[in-house]
Amino acid sequence: MRSAVGAVPSPNTGVVVADEPVRRKEDEEGGEDAENVNGSDDRDLAAAYDPEDFETGVNEEEEEEESNEKDKKSKPSEVLRSYQDLRSETLNKVPKETVDRVTEAHNKTISTERKNTEETAKKTANEKIKKEKEQVTKDRATLNGWIKPDTESSVKELTKLGIETRLKEEVSGKETLKKDIEAKVIQMQDNVKSSLAEARSSLGQSLERMDGENQSIGDILNKSNSGYPLLDTDPYLFQGRDSRTVTELYTQAYKDIAQNIDIGLETSLKYDSLTKKEIETYEKQLKAQGLNPPEANYGLSKDPILAGELRKSYEKLIVNMAFQERVTSELTKQSTNLGIEIKDKTTQIINEVTILVNSIDKREKDAYYANISYTDESGKIVTKMVDVRDSNLTAKEKKLAEKVIKVKEETKVNQDLAKTLKEFDATQDKLLQNKIFDEAVKLELKQLQKLSGYELRAIGLDNVGASEAELNKIKDKKLKEKKALNADRIKELNSLQLENRAKQISNMLQMNQNGKIDSGVAKQLLGTYELFQKMDIEKVLEGVPESKKGTVRESLELIKSMGSNSDFALQTASALCNVISGWEAAMLAGRNVEPDFTKFYVKQVLNGEITVGDHGKNKAVFYGSGKDYLGKSHVIEKVIDMDKNDVLAELNKGPNKVAIVQIDTDKIPDGKGNHFIIAYQNTNGEWIMQDHTSNDSWRNGGKLVDALKENKITSIRILD
């Protein structure tokens, strides 16, 4: 259906809903004589609305559209109008007079702010140049700490020397350790091989002597025609040997090997704890040297004591071999890890030295080198690149160099200033468009929620002779009918208004990028540093309640002690999310709060509501202890432990549809909140989150319900 003002409401806009538009007190009271929100009378509406639309309320075309609208509601809408389409449609209806008036007022308001922005930008740019020079001095000192370079050395030579020096100091020790470990592993492995070979030889010689004294063995060997098989596994070769002696020889051989390969470390390793695969591996190594497992059919003694000693010595040998293998494996692992560390450290050193040397070269040339031209005594034109710090420069050359450098610095300042002002103007243009849009919404809401002068006159003409009480009843009835007729559009406008506020807040704060002075709140706080520096603490405290004097003094003294406006701004902005989200929520919900965030911050500090807190290793004035500007609100604690449907049900009770959300930004949530953002509800009933520090989709434009499911929300403060 179409509204009485000709606006086509969307069945589902997908934008934010606010139950009540922002109105001044006199507008809330209503009445024929109440002024429009923008301060104009009904004549401002003439260019936007056709009075004929109010003659019958609904015409045939509207009835047809109303029928079609009912059909649409019975099935999902195939095409939803975007926020931008709805915004454009509404903006097109605002009278030119209103646009001109809002624009003039906005420009008047920001003239001082633009001037302050310009002054702050210049100061910041000059401070940046100063810090660049300080940094290059620090970097040069760092480089000189690694090496003692010749001032005439090239960038390539300095880089090579710096890398070599740092590698020698930071990597060579690890390389030596790696070589020692590798040598130890090889020594241990060689020791096992040599011990096995020596034992085989010694045992073979002993058996050979025994066999020389035994004729039957000699005959068997002669029959074999295969030479002397030292420790052959064929049992018949052991015929005639003394089993006791053979058993003792084997026992001693196993003991000798075990002792030779013992690395002198205590171990609780037992034979029975070894895996079958490990035992087979070490037995295979022993068999390769002719040292077979002690079995009775090898001509060994069947005496249980001797056999037990033999088995014990054999198992001890296996255990020692296994233990040594584990030790060498661990040493090999250490060697591999050292190799990785050495490689990584080498890469790091190469990168650090290369970047530092190139940075020094670039910054020094930028800060101290100048290309000068002048005519010498012979009339010849001299052009050369000089270092203004060079003590060999003539007075004329030094003066020319200083002039060139000054021009370079002024150019830098002007470039930074132009960039800052361009960003400022772009932001202000967005804010102006939002203000104009807000006026357009207010105008249309005013028209839809009040009877116009034309409608009032029509009621009078249609009800000649009616009493004042009767006319008032008719007016009330007509107004209710009008609101009911335009309910969808009113809801849509309220949604647009809240969405507009959210975008306006986003434009005002921009994106607060941690560690960057030229973004977001940090950028806005730069100018307040000088304001705090000029404050006389004792005079300020005269107007502060006794209970707050201690906290206000502590805050002002800390700010005054900070080294620069950038230090103050960065340290403060990086920890200010609690205060920022509170201010955003108050702005979004239409609370009575200072719309300029920097002024809001200063006021809260002087009121003792924003105080000193610890953030990492730094102290800053960021802790928001009081939030009276939020008005009535309540908190849902321990959200993670609650049923998600219960949380959503509680959220949906709030008429303002605005909340402050504490989230867990860790990649793996641990249930501990570490950041505050805002959330608002759109026309689909979905709660949308908006973050002033991140473009991550889940917390900036993402649905709150999804974050709930992933246990990324720890508490919620709902504005009632």
Side-chain angles (χ1 to χ4, degrees), residues 472-588:
N472 285 336
K473 284 184 180 180
I474 295 171
K475 290 176 185 177
D476 289 341
K477 182 182 178 182
K478 288 287 186 182
L479 183 57
K480 286 180 181 178
E481 290 174 352
K482 181 177 181 179
K483 288 183 178 179
L485 179 66
N486 294 288
D488 285 347
R489 180 58 177 169
I490 290 171
K491 183 180 180 183
E492 187 174 76
L493 288 169
N494 284 328
S495 302
L496 288 170
Q497 193 176 49
L498 190 59
E499 180 82 356
N500 184 62
R501 288 196 206 126
K503 293 183 181 295
Q504 189 170 18
I505 289 167
S506 179
N507 288 333
M508 291 170 75
L509 288 180
Q510 299 173 20
M511 187 59 68
N512 190 36
Q513 300 174 48
N514 191 28
K516 293 186 178 181
I517 195 62
D518 59 349
S519 67
V521 175
K523 187 174 182 179
Q524 294 190 43
L525 288 176
L526 282 171
T528 65
Y529 178 76
E530 289 300 326
L531 180 63
F532 282 119
Q533 294 301 314
K534 293 175 182 177
M535 288 182 183
D536 184 323
I537 295 179
E538 299 306 324
K539 286 186 178 180
V540 169
L541 293 176
E542 290 176 3
V544 176
E546 198 64 36
S547 61
K548 297 284 188 179
K549 284 185 178 180
T551 55
V552 174
R553 179 187 292 278
E554 184 184 17
S555 297
L556 294 179
E557 287 178 348
L558 178 62
I559 294 173
K560 281 177 173 287
S561 69
M562 291 184 171
S564 67
N565 61 354
S566 58
D567 290 340
F568 158 70
L570 285 175
Q571 290 182 31
T572 304
S574 64
L576 204 58
C577 65
N578 187 300
V579 172
I580 294 171
S581 60
W583 175 82
E584 286 182 296
M587 286 284 289
L588 193 52

Side-chain angles (χ1 to χ4, degrees), residues 195-227:
S195 294
L196 291 176
E198 288 174 8
R200 179 182 188 278
S201 175
S202 176
L203 185 57
Q205 290 172 7
S206 297
L207 292 174
E208 188 176 4
R209 286 194 297 272
M210 182 186 296
D211 294 340
E213 299 169 359
N214 189 319
Q215 185 59 44
S216 61
I217 285 292
D219 293 340
I220 293 172
L221 292 176
N222 289 332
K223 292 176 183 178
S224 70
N225 296 320
S226 58

Side-chain angles (χ1 to χ4, degrees), residues 30-300:
E32 184 179 355
D33 296 328
E35 291 183 347
N36 284 296
V37 176
N38 66 357
S40 65
D41 57 30
D42 284 345
R43 287 174 296 177
D44 281 341
L45 302 172
Y49 307 115
D50 182 1
E52 293 301 321
D53 284 338
F54 297 107
E55 187 169 348
T56 59
V58 179
N59 58 28
E60 292 178 1
E61 182 184 352
E62 291 169 340
E63 289 175 348
E64 182 181 350
E65 289 184 8
E66 183 176 0
S67 176
N68 292 336
E69 197 65 37
K70 289 179 181 177
D71 292 337
K72 287 181 184 178
K73 290 181 179 179
S74 65
K75 58 183 179 180
S77 175
E78 295 179 1
V79 180
L80 301 179
R81 290 186 295 163
S82 69
Y83 166 78
Q84 289 299 333
D85 290 339
L86 292 165
R87 179 184 173 93
S88 299
E89 174 190 294
T90 306
L91 275 171
N92 288 336
K93 295 180 179 179
V94 68
K96 182 179 182 302
E97 294 83 356
T98 302
V99 174
D100 293 341
R101 175 174 51 75
V102 173
T103 302
E104 183 181 355
H106 176 77
N107 291 338
K108 191 179 293 184
T109 301
I110 69 167
S111 60
T112 302
E113 186 180 348
R114 194 178 195 279
K115 184 178 179 182
N116 292 338
T117 300
E118 184 175 354
E119 291 176 356
T120 302
K122 284 182 180 178
K123 185 171 183 178
T124 303
N126 282 310
E127 191 175 271
K128 182 180 175 183
I129 291 172
K130 181 182 176 183
K131 285 194 171 184
E132 284 285 328
K133 290 182 177 180
E134 291 172 352
Q135 187 61 49
V136 77
T137 302
K138 289 179 183 178
D139 289 347
R140 175 62 76 172
T142 299
L143 183 61
N144 290 342
W146 299 338
I147 54 177
K148 302 298 179 185
D150 181 354
T151 54
E152 298 299 321
S153 297
S154 66
V155 169
K156 186 175 181 180
E157 290 169 339
L158 281 175
T159 302
K160 183 172 181 279
L161 187 55
I163 291 171
E164 289 174 349
T165 305
R166 284 194 61 186
L167 286 176
K168 184 177 180 181
E169 293 176 355
E170 301 175 40
V171 176
S172 60
K174 290 183 178 180
E175 288 178 330
T176 301
L177 178 59
K178 185 175 184 294
K179 289 177 182 177
D180 290 345
I181 290 173
E182 290 171 345
K184 187 173 182 179
V185 169
I186 292 172
Q187 181 185 12
M188 292 172 70
Q189 292 171 338
D190 288 346
N191 185 40
V192 172
K193 292 178 182 178
S194 61
S195 294
L196 291 176
E198 288 174 8
R200 179 182 188 278
S201 175
S202 176
L203 185 57
Q205 290 172 7
S206 297
L207 292 174
E208 188 176 4
R209 286 194 297 272
M210 182 186 296
D211 294 340
E213 299 169 359
N214 189 319
Q215 185 59 44
S216 61
I217 285 292
D219 293 340
I220 293 172
L221 292 176
N222 289 332
K223 292 176 183 178
S224 70
N225 296 320
S226 58
Y228 190 83
L230 288 176
L231 295 175
D232 207 306
T233 57
D234 293 334
Y236 74 89
L237 291 177
F238 294 94
Q239 295 175 10
R241 289 179 178 173
D242 179 59
S243 62
R244 184 181 184 89
T245 303
V246 172
T247 301
E248 289 174 345
L249 285 172
Y250 267 88
T251 300
Q252 189 59 46
Y254 292 147
K255 285 182 178 179
D256 290 344
I257 301 171
Q259 184 176 354
N260 287 340
I261 67 174
D262 192 321
I263 57 178
L265 297 175
E266 291 291 330
T267 176
S268 58
L269 189 64
K270 303 295 182 184
Y271 182 83
D272 292 341
S273 65
L274 298 176
T275 65
K276 182 180 179 181
K277 186 176 181 180
E278 284 181 303
I279 293 173
E280 289 175 349
T281 298
Y282 304 127
E283 285 186 344
K284 186 177 181 181
Q285 291 181 30
L286 291 173
K287 284 181 180 179
Q289 297 295 333
L291 297 169
N292 302 295
E295 302 293 340
N297 59 351
Y298 289 166
L300 303 175

Side-chain angles (χ1 to χ4, degrees), residues 386-415:
V386 299
D387 183 343
V388 73
R389 301 167 298 178
D390 188 351
S391 58
N392 295 320
L393 293 179
T394 65
K396 183 177 182 179
E397 289 174 333
K398 188 174 182 65
K399 187 175 180 180
L400 285 171
E402 288 174 344
K403 185 177 180 181
V404 171
I405 290 171
K406 184 178 180 181
V407 171
K408 283 167 64 176
E409 290 178 350
E410 288 175 349
T411 301
K412 281 185 184 178
V413 170
N414 290 334
Q415 287 174 342

Side-chain angles (χ1 to χ4, degrees), residues 664 666-672 710-712:
D664 182 353
D666 295 335
K667 289 184 178 179
I668 302 177
D670 58 6
K672 298 176 182 177
E710 295 178 15
N711 288 328
K712 291 182 177 180

Side-chain angles (χ1 to χ4, degrees), residues 345-452:
K345 190 65 178 178
T346 300
T347 301
Q348 178 188 338
I349 288 173
I350 291 172
N351 289 338
E352 287 179 356
V353 174
T354 303
I355 291 171
L356 186 69
V357 173
N358 287 333
S359 174
I360 291 172
D361 181 62
K362 182 180 182 301
R363 286 177 173 174
E364 285 187 336
K365 285 179 178 177
D366 205 32
Y368 302 112
Y369 282 68
N371 195 12
I372 61 173
S373 296
Y374 62 92
T375 305
D376 64 12
E377 295 177 353
S378 65
K380 182 181 178 181
I381 296 176
V382 178
T383 300
K384 62 179 178 178
M385 181 70 73
V386 299
D387 183 343
V388 73
R389 301 167 298 178
D390 188 351
S391 58
N392 295 320
L393 293 179
T394 65
K396 183 177 182 179
E397 289 174 333
K398 188 174 182 65
K399 187 175 180 180
L400 285 171
E402 288 174 344
K403 185 177 180 181
V404 171
I405 290 171
K406 184 178 180 181
V407 171
K408 283 167 64 176
E409 290 178 350
E410 288 175 349
T411 301
K412 281 185 184 178
V413 170
N414 290 334
Q415 287 174 342
D416 286 353
L417 177 60
K419 180 183 176 183
T420 299
L421 291 179
K422 183 179 179 180
E423 291 174 354
F424 177 86
D425 291 339
T427 299
Q428 291 304 320
D429 184 59
K430 290 179 182 178
L431 292 174
L432 174 58
Q433 290 302 312
N434 284 336
K435 287 181 180 179
I436 294 172
F437 175 77
D438 204 35
E439 290 298 318
V441 171
K442 290 174 183 178
L443 277 170
E444 191 169 348
L445 280 171
K446 180 79 169 190
Q447 185 65 38
L448 297 178
Q449 293 176 320
K450 276 184 61 177
L451 294 175
S452 69

